[in-house]
């Protein structure tokens, strides 16, 4: 059955929350500690090299570098959370409990999807913000200027000067990447993070190869398209294709989830 009932969905979502609250707290705490440690390390290292923490350029450079590296760890953690959508169902007991909940496949899958795609990334981001603010607070007490690294994270998310600047292409690629990790997490019990990462790196390498060897031809096609007024059409066609690919991945993830069995193989959830 694939029908959707909101009340059943809420009960299933609550069950998921109680089942994963310990893991959620652990991931948030690790994100906070890693952010704090990385930022403190770079700021302290720069202080030892320059002996001038009063120099705003030096302090700002330290915050920028540490925030960029922390953001990288944050993105990796979010991708791991996406790929671990059903990682908590590895044991037979938990798998049986989840698959026999009084809910439809669509309600169970949607609950797990929201946790992997929204709840975990939001909590990990909160850990990043708290860790950054703790570092900032310590240096502020020591007499340094308040300079949060959260602003650099917001820039990565497309929020600049307190306003959202939508980058549809970047959003489409982000959604597609997340859908790849969701699909791998649904399909595989082992290597959920490695498989899509290798695939995405290989695809990016292939596209880079095409750009390097056929860059002139591609540029000529783009220029001709622009001259004929097809620039927006080309852009939105690419964005639409990427979004459709993401939707296909999520649809396939649901189809695979419907085939879940209480006893599965060592490598797949089917």
């Amino acid at each position: 059955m694939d029908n959707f009932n909101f009340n059943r969905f809420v009960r299933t979502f609550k069950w998921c929350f109680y089942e994963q609250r310990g893991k959620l707290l652990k991931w948030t705490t690790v994100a906070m500690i890693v952010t704090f440690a990385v930022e403190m390390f770079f700021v302290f290292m720069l202080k030892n090299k320059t002996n001038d923490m009063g120099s705003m350029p030096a302090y700002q450079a330290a915050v920028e570098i540490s925030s960029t590296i922390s953001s990288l760890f944050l993105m990796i953690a979010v991708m791991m959370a996406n790929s671990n959508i059903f990682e908590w169902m590895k044991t037979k007991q938990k798998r049986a409990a989840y698959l026999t909940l009084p809910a439809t496949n669509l309600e169970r899958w949607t609950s797990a999807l929201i946790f992997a795609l929204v709840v975990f990334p939001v909590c990990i981001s909160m850990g990043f913000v708290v860790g950054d603010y703790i570092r900032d607070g310590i240096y502020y007490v020591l007499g340094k200027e308040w300079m949060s690294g959260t602003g650099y994270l917001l820039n990565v998310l497309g929020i600049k000067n307190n306003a959202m600047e939508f980058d549809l292409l970047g959003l489409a690629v982000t959604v597609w990447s997340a859908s790849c990790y969701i699909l791998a997490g649904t399909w595989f019990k082992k290597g959920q993070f490695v498989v899509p990462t290798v695939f995405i790196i290989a695809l990016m390498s292939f596209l880079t190869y095409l750009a390097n060897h056929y860059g002139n031809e591609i540029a000529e096609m783009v220029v001709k398209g622009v001259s004929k007024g097809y620039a927006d059409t080309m852009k939105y066609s690419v964005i639409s294709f990427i979004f459709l690919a993401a939707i296909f991945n999520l649809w396939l993830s649901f189809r695979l989830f419907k085939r879940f069995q209480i006893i599965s193989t060592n490598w797949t959830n089917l």
Side-chain angles (χ1 to χ4, degrees), residues 10 85 87 101 105 146 154 165 184 232 237 264:
V10 170
I85 178 172
E87 187 271 341
L101 284 176
N105 287 324
W146 184 277
L154 296 178
E165 299 180 2
D232 288 340
S237 296
S264 62

Side-chain angles (χ1 to χ4, degrees), residues 210-221:
L210 290 180
N212 290 335
H213 288 76
Y214 303 99
N216 293 333
E217 291 83 354
I218 295 174
E220 184 177 353
M221 291 174 58

Side-chain angles (χ1 to χ4, degrees), residues 64-116:
E64 290 180 358
I65 294 173
S66 61
S67 299
T68 300
I69 295 177
S70 297
S71 299
L72 177 61
F73 283 120
L74 172 65
M75 288 186 288
I76 294 175
V78 169
M79 290 185 290
M80 291 182 64
N82 295 156
S83 64
N84 286 338
I85 178 172
F86 293 114
E87 187 271 341
W88 52 280
M89 289 175 56
K90 283 187 174 181
T91 64
K92 181 180 177 180
Q93 292 78 9
K94 291 184 178 180
R95 193 178 186 88
Y98 191 65
L99 294 179
T100 56
L101 284 176
T104 63
N105 287 324
L106 181 59
E107 291 155 3
R108 299 188 195 106
W109 178 79
T110 304
S111 298
L113 178 69
I114 291 176
F115 259 90

Side-chain angles (χ1 to χ4, degrees), residues 4 13 15 38 40 52 84 148 152 163 174 183 186 192 205 219 236 255 257 259 267:
F4 189 90
F13 188 82
W15 191 93
V38 168
M40 288 294 289
D52 185 17
N84 286 338
S148 174
Y152 302 104
T174 301
L183 177 59
T186 307
Q192 310 99 309
S205 300
Y236 290 115
R255 299 294 297 182
F257 176 76
R259 297 181 56 192
W267 285 97

Side-chain angles (χ1 to χ4, degrees), residues 12-156:
T12 305
F13 188 82
K14 288 181 179 178
W15 191 93
C16 290
F17 174 77
Y18 286 117
E19 181 65 32
Q20 301 193 74
R21 64 186 186 277
K23 181 180 177 182
L24 198 62
L25 178 61
K26 181 177 70 174
W27 280 52
T28 305
T29 304
V30 169
M32 179 187 69
I33 294 174
V34 169
T35 300
F36 173 75
V38 168
E39 294 192 1
M40 288 294 289
F41 170 76
F42 276 96
V43 173
F44 182 76
M45 183 176 66
L46 185 60
K47 176 183 177 182
N48 287 343
K49 287 189 175 183
T50 62
N51 293 318
D52 185 17
M53 273 307 293
S55 171
M56 279 307 299
Y59 186 33
Q60 183 175 358
V63 173
E64 290 180 358
I65 294 173
S66 61
S67 299
T68 300
I69 295 177
S70 297
S71 299
L72 177 61
F73 283 120
L74 172 65
M75 288 186 288
I76 294 175
V78 169
M79 290 185 290
M80 291 182 64
N82 295 156
S83 64
N84 286 338
I85 178 172
F86 293 114
E87 187 271 341
W88 52 280
M89 289 175 56
K90 283 187 174 181
T91 64
K92 181 180 177 180
Q93 292 78 9
K94 291 184 178 180
R95 193 178 186 88
Y98 191 65
L99 294 179
T100 56
L101 284 176
T104 63
N105 287 324
L106 181 59
E107 291 155 3
R108 299 188 195 106
W109 178 79
T110 304
S111 298
L113 178 69
I114 291 176
F115 259 90
L117 205 57
V118 179
V119 177
F120 270 100
V122 168
C123 290
I124 293 170
S125 299
M126 288 176 59
F128 173 93
V129 173
V130 172
D132 173 69
Y133 274 30
I134 292 175
R135 185 273 311 163
D136 218 346
I138 291 176
Y139 276 99
Y140 184 76
V141 170
L142 296 176
K144 313 305 177 186
E145 183 173 340
W146 184 277
M147 186 175 292
S148 174
T150 306
Y152 302 104
L153 173 62
L154 296 178
N155 289 340
V156 173

Side-chain angles (χ1 to χ4, degrees), residues 154 157-167:
L154 296 178
L157 298 176
I159 303 176
K160 300 178 182 179
N161 299 322
N162 297 323
M164 177 67 78
E165 299 180 2
F166 286 104
D167 179 5

